[in-house]
Amino acid sequence: MGYPVFVQFILIYYPVIAAIGVPVNFVAIVILSRGRCGLSKCITVYLVGMAVSDLLVVITDPILGVIVQIYFRYSFLRITPVCSFIIFLISAATDVSVWLTVTFTFDRFVAICCEKLKTKYCSEKTAAVVVGTVSVLGLLESLPWYFTLKQRYIIDNVPMGCDYKLSFYTSPIWGAFELFDLILTPCVPLFLILLLNVLTVRRILFSSKVRRGFRRQCNAENHKDPEMENRRKSIILLFSISGSFILLWLTRVVFNIYRRIVDIQSYSSTSDPVFITEKTSKMLQILSSCTNTCIYIVTQTKFRQELKKAVKYPLNLIVKLVKS
C-alpha cells in the first residue's frame, strides 16, 4: 500500500532541503569568511556564525534526524545512545541558529539606535565572544533532551530507536523543562526580534526625518548621503533576515503554543489535520536554515560578485586543463 500524498511530499521534501541546504550554507561560509563582501568585520562574524549553525541544522535535522531514520532503519545511527545524541544535536543546532539571529538583530539595533554603545559593542571581538557564548549556552540548554529518551526496541541485545521515557510525560520536572525550552526557543526570540525591529524602524524614521531637514538647510538634497546609503544597505540585510525568520518560524511557534494548551501527545493518523499542521510547521522551520544565502544574493552586490567568481573558478580551471 502506498503512502498518503502528504507523507510522500515529506519523503521528497527533506532530501531536497538537504541537497540545497548543505551546499548553499557551505558556499555562504566560504564567501563570507573571505571578507570581501563589503560588510564590516562585526557583521561578517555574525553571518558566518549563522551560516555554520544553519549548516549544522540541515545536517542534523533533515539528514540525520529524518532521512537516515527513514531510509537506513538498521544503521548504527539507530542505536539508542547515538539516536539520543542526534536529537540533542538537533536541539542544540536549532537553538544556536535561532539565538544567533537574535544577537545579530540586537547588534544592528545597537549600531543604529545606541551611538554611545556602538563603538564598544559593535566590534569583531565582541561579535566573536557573543557567537561563542551563544554556542556554548545552546549546547548546555539542550543537553537534558539526551536523558529524556529510551530504546524503542532491542535487536540482538542492542537497544535501537528512540522514544520518550514515561517519566517525560508524568514528571513535573520534565514538564517544566519542556515549557522552559518552548519559551526560550522560539517564543522569546520571536518576541525580541519583533521588538528590536520595531524600535529600529522608529529610530530610522526619526533619524531620516532629522537628516533630511538638515540637508535641506545646507542645500545638499541633490547629493547622495554616504551614511544613509550604508545604513540603508544594513537595514535591508537586517530586515530581510529577520522577516524571513519570523515568517518561517511563526507557524511553528503558534502550533507549539496550541499543542501545549490542548495537550496533544499523539495523532489519530497521517491524515489528522494536527499532524499535517505540525509537520508543515516543522518543514517551514527547516526551510529557514536555507534562506539566508538567497537573501545575501538578492541584497548584497559584492556577495553576488564573489559567488560568480566562485562559480567561474572551477569552469576556468577545466578550460585551462583542456587547453594544456
Side-chain angles (χ1 to χ4, degrees), residues 246-298:
I246 291 169
L247 289 174
L248 294 175
W249 269 90
L250 188 60
T251 305
R252 187 70 176 169
V253 172
V254 173
F255 176 81
N256 281 339
I257 295 173
Y258 172 78
R259 178 178 62 83
R260 185 73 188 180
I261 294 173
V262 181
D263 194 25
I264 298 172
Q265 297 183 2
S266 62
Y267 312 103
S268 59
S269 69
T270 55
S271 300
D272 189 333
V274 177
F275 171 83
I276 294 174
T277 304
E278 194 272 337
K279 295 303 178 183
T280 301
S281 68
K282 179 67 175 179
M283 288 189 289
L284 289 174
Q285 174 210 315
I286 296 299
L287 180 60
S288 69
S289 299
C290 307
T291 56
N292 282 352
T293 301
C294 298
I295 290 171
Y296 305 150
I297 293 172
V298 172

Side-chain angles (χ1 to χ4, degrees), residues 303-319:
F303 185 92
R304 290 197 298 272
Q305 293 172 351
E306 290 299 312
L307 181 61
K308 289 178 182 178
K309 291 179 183 178
V311 172
K312 289 179 180 178
Y313 179 77
L315 297 178
N316 292 335
L317 190 62
I318 293 172
V319 171

Side-chain angles (χ1 to χ4, degrees), residues 18-51:
I20 295 173
V22 171
V24 299
N25 281 304
F26 180 76
V27 167
I29 293 169
V30 173
I31 292 177
L32 291 169
S33 298
R34 289 164 63 87
R36 299 178 181 177
C37 296
L39 300 169
S40 69
K41 292 182 179 180
C42 173
I43 294 178
T44 300
V45 170
Y46 283 111
L47 296 185
V48 170
M50 291 162 63

Side-chain angles (χ1 to χ4, degrees), residues 14-220:
Y14 281 101
V16 171
I17 283 293
I20 295 173
V22 171
V24 299
N25 281 304
F26 180 76
V27 167
I29 293 169
V30 173
I31 292 177
L32 291 169
S33 298
R34 289 164 63 87
R36 299 178 181 177
C37 296
L39 300 169
S40 69
K41 292 182 179 180
C42 173
I43 294 178
T44 300
V45 170
Y46 283 111
L47 296 185
V48 170
M50 291 162 63
V52 171
S53 63
D54 285 343
L55 176 61
L56 292 176
V57 169
V58 175
I59 291 173
T60 56
D61 206 336
I63 297 177
L64 298 181
V66 178
I67 297 172
V68 169
Q69 303 298 321
I70 293 175
Y71 295 103
F72 304 94
R73 291 179 177 271
Y74 300 103
S75 73
F76 79 97
L77 295 176
R78 295 279 292 177
I79 298 174
T80 300
V82 179
C83 174
S84 300
F85 186 68
I86 289 173
I87 291 175
F88 151 68
L89 288 179
I90 291 172
S91 175
T94 303
D95 286 355
V96 172
S97 175
V98 169
W99 278 98
L100 284 182
T101 305
V102 176
T103 56
F104 171 71
T105 306
F106 180 73
D107 177 85
R108 293 300 84 199
F109 166 76
V110 171
I112 294 170
C113 303
C114 307
E115 292 295 333
K116 294 181 179 180
L117 186 59
K118 175 181 177 181
T119 305
K120 294 182 178 179
Y121 185 82
C122 299
S123 66
E124 183 181 12
K125 182 178 179 181
T126 301
V129 171
V130 170
V131 170
T133 303
V134 168
S135 300
V136 172
L137 291 177
L139 289 170
L140 294 176
E141 193 276 330
S142 300
L143 187 59
W145 286 112
Y146 180 88
F147 301 100
T148 64
L149 303 161
K150 64 180 180 64
Q151 76 272 7
R152 181 171 296 174
Y153 47 84
I154 296 177
I155 299 178
D156 296 330
N157 294 322
V158 178
M160 302 290 290
C162 287
D163 268 335
Y164 287 113
K165 298 175 181 177
L166 180 61
S167 61
F168 179 74
Y169 299 105
T170 59
S171 170
I173 296 177
W174 283 124
F177 168 72
E178 185 184 18
L179 181 61
F180 171 76
D181 185 74
L182 172 62
I183 293 173
L184 190 65
T185 307
C187 293
V188 171
L190 194 70
F191 170 77
L192 289 176
I193 289 174
L194 282 170
L195 175 63
L196 291 170
N197 279 328
V198 168
L199 294 175
T200 302
V201 168
R202 189 178 70 171
R203 175 68 177 183
I204 290 168
L205 293 175
F206 175 76
S207 299
S208 298
K209 183 178 179 180
V210 171
R211 199 166 183 85
R212 282 196 300 269
F214 175 76
R215 289 176 63 78
R216 277 197 296 268
Q217 291 178 1
C218 298
N219 296 320

